[in-house]
Amino acid sequence: MSNVLAVATFFRTSPRRTKLLHKVEEKCLSFPKHFDVRLAEHTRNLLNAVLHNLDAARRVWQDMVDGTIESNSKEKQMAKGFIEKWYKGSRQVWLTAVMFDLCTIFETLQKLFQKSNLILPDVLTAKDSATQNLKIMNDIPVPGGKEEQNLELHDNEQGRPVRRTSTAHQFVTSQNRNSNAIRNEIVQSAINFLGQRMNTENDGTVESLMSILEASSSKDLILASRNLVSSILGPSCLSDFVSDVCKSWNNLAKIEHVEVEDTGTMYALRLRKMIQASTGLLKKFQASFLTLVPHSMATERVVSHYNNVKTSGRSSLNPETINGILHISLNGKGASFFDPRPVVSEFLTSKERRNRKPCEELYKQREFVKHFFKQESGCL
């Protein structure tokens, strides 16, 4: 990533070099400065901008080295280094394309995790989907991805001599390696990271949910649910919960286990079937799993709206006013969907109002009336 950041910084920090880049190719993409929320999306946009602007950047670098473009010695040295590193079909271009395809998978995963209607089983589904995509990428390039587009050029450049560089670590391989081996190492690292970062099966809530859905008897269901029932419904509801489990168990036992590879879909399907077959507190308890949101998007959205409302120019708002504005902003409709006619009708019919004609002589003397209506028009 250091080489990618070097290219982006080279153009982004200099308006003159950016202007030269857009002069060569008008449709060049802007290099993103920073990321707001999703690091994977920012990294993907950065990689995409570098790959998209690479042809124009090579021409700018070559013109700097040839002296066609006026530049100082430092810029020429940097341009010469970029040309050696980013020539067409180079290992660096191929690695950047691989990382772009990898970040695309993680970007999709992050967007799925920020959906407002996400439930706990959906987390398992999203994780399994991302893992399957990574396993496919581990064997072959992503069909239609950036790596597939640059793979042929990279294969044609395998025989190009490589400049040896000294390494600080004796176990680092400094010579050319096979592309598949490098891709496998990168993808396997991503799979390991995803497994450690998304180890949701060991989370207490998810583990309890899995035990509840896999219960083979009413006793197992009660034991698996006891702690959560006490924390969600209260200890006083535990006896009623046990009674509802016993009443509903005959219907729950008739639900067949559907074995599918998608763990999240399997658990979500069984949970909804169990809710339909349950009654009383058991149904209420199981339905609570459909309202548990495994992210803090709602809270972050409120904070974002709050920052948009209370700015430096509106820093004296009362808490009640801010709460009212936030309530309308989060729950209300847009102004384009607002129909004022019912409100106007209610205002006019709320009490008797005098219906009198305006005083013409008074209106004739007002400045805004004279501004809009000329004396010769006959309207005054």
Side-chain angles (χ1 to χ4, degrees):
M1 283 299 297
S2 59
N3 294 327
V4 175
L5 291 174
V7 174
T9 305
F10 180 79
F11 289 102
R12 184 170 52 81
T13 56
S14 173
R16 183 181 69 89
R17 292 193 287 262
T18 303
K19 187 176 181 180
L20 291 173
L21 185 67
H22 286 273
K23 186 177 180 180
V24 173
E25 178 58 52
E26 295 181 356
K27 296 183 179 180
C28 284
L29 300 178
S30 300
F31 296 100
K33 296 181 180 180
H34 56 83
F35 68 94
D36 294 325
V37 178
R38 305 185 186 100
L39 177 60
E41 183 178 0
H42 164 76
T43 307
R44 180 184 179 276
N45 293 337
L46 177 62
L47 296 171
N48 185 41
V50 170
L51 291 173
H52 184 272
N53 301 340
L54 206 51
D55 290 336
R58 292 193 190 103
R59 293 172 60 182
V60 173
W61 295 331
Q62 191 63 50
D63 290 343
M64 286 183 175
V65 174
D66 296 340
T68 307
I69 297 177
E70 184 178 354
S71 56
N72 54 39
S73 58
K74 183 179 179 180
E75 286 182 331
K76 289 183 179 180
Q77 291 297 326
M78 294 179 67
K80 188 179 296 184
F82 285 137
I83 292 174
E84 293 179 0
K85 181 69 68 174
W86 292 93
Y87 62 88
K88 186 172 292 187
S90 66
R91 175 62 59 88
Q92 181 62 52
V93 176
W94 174 77
L95 283 173
T96 306
V98 173
M99 293 304 300
F100 175 85
D101 294 339
L102 190 68
C103 289
T104 301
I105 297 175
F106 277 91
E107 180 195 13
T108 304
L109 182 65
Q110 286 185 341
K111 288 184 176 180
L112 286 174
F113 285 160
Q114 291 189 332
K115 285 187 174 181
S116 57
N117 57 349
L118 190 74
I119 60 176
L120 287 177
D122 294 337
V123 176
L124 302 176
T125 300
K127 177 187 174 183
D128 293 342
S129 176
T131 304
Q132 290 298 325
N133 288 331
L134 290 173
K135 288 181 179 179
I136 293 175
M137 187 178 175
N138 198 23
D139 299 329
I140 59 174
V142 177
K146 293 289 187 181
E147 182 191 1
E148 191 177 59
Q149 299 173 11
N150 293 274
L151 187 61
E152 184 177 354
L153 293 172
H154 174 63
D155 291 340
N156 293 335
E157 294 289 332
Q158 289 295 315
R160 182 171 177 144
V162 179
R163 185 179 63 181
R164 297 296 183 90
T165 56
S166 59
T167 56
H169 198 287
Q170 59 178 342
F171 297 108
V172 175
T173 304
S174 58
Q175 61 185 5
N176 264 352
R177 296 173 59 193
N178 183 269
S179 301
N180 292 330
I182 297 176
R183 189 199 310 112
N184 292 343
E185 182 178 345
I186 295 174
V187 174
Q188 192 59 47
S189 299
I191 294 175
N192 294 338
F193 169 78
L194 187 63
Q196 295 175 1
R197 187 69 178 85
M198 294 293 301
N199 193 14
T200 54
E201 287 83 353
N202 292 334
D203 180 76
T205 306
V206 177
E207 188 176 4
S208 300
L209 174 61
M210 295 169 64
S211 301
I212 292 169
L213 297 178
E214 294 174 355
S216 58
S217 63
S218 58
K219 179 182 177 181
D220 295 339
L221 180 57
I222 293 171
L223 293 177
S225 308
R226 179 170 184 173
N227 294 332
L228 286 178
V229 169
S230 299
S231 60
I232 296 176
L233 303 178
S236 59
C237 299
L238 191 58
S239 58
D240 295 335
F241 174 79
V242 173
S243 300
D244 292 333
V245 171
C246 296
K247 292 178 183 178
S248 306
W249 181 251
N250 290 332
N251 295 329
L252 295 175
K254 297 178 182 178
I255 301 176
E256 298 181 358
H257 285 271
V258 180
E259 296 292 338
V260 294
E261 294 183 1
D262 189 347
T263 308
T265 301
M266 179 180 67
Y267 285 140
L269 177 62
R270 182 163 179 79
L271 176 60
R272 286 180 168 85
K273 287 185 177 181
M274 290 180 67
I275 291 175
Q276 294 176 357
S278 303
T279 58
L281 291 178
L282 175 60
K283 186 172 186 176
K284 183 178 180 180
F285 169 71
Q286 291 173 341
S288 64
F289 286 103
L290 296 178
T291 61
L292 290 176
V293 182
H295 56 67
S296 59
M297 186 195 66
T299 305
E300 294 173 1
R301 182 176 294 172
V302 173
V303 174
S304 298
H305 279 272
Y306 177 85
N307 293 332
N308 292 333
V309 170
K310 190 172 182 179
T311 60
S312 58
R314 306 176 69 187
S315 58
S316 300
L317 293 173
N318 294 327
E320 295 79 8
T321 306
I322 296 177
N323 290 337
I325 296 174
L326 288 177
H327 180 78
I328 296 174
S329 178
L330 293 170
N331 303 310
K333 295 182 179 180
S336 59
F337 298 99
F338 176 70
D339 185 7
R341 289 174 294 182
V343 180
V344 174
S345 177
E346 183 180 357
F347 170 77
L348 294 176
T349 58
S350 59
K351 67 177 184 178
E352 292 186 1
R353 303 180 186 277
R354 290 183 297 174
N355 186 10
R356 62 183 183 182
K357 295 182 179 180
C359 181
E360 295 182 1
E361 295 297 329
L362 181 63
Y363 271 87
K364 286 181 180 180
Q365 304 302 323
R366 295 192 174 181
E367 292 296 330
F368 73 91
V369 176
K370 294 180 180 180
H371 178 74
F372 286 105
F373 300 99
K374 294 182 179 180
Q375 192 73 26
E376 297 81 9
S377 63
C379 297
L380 296 178

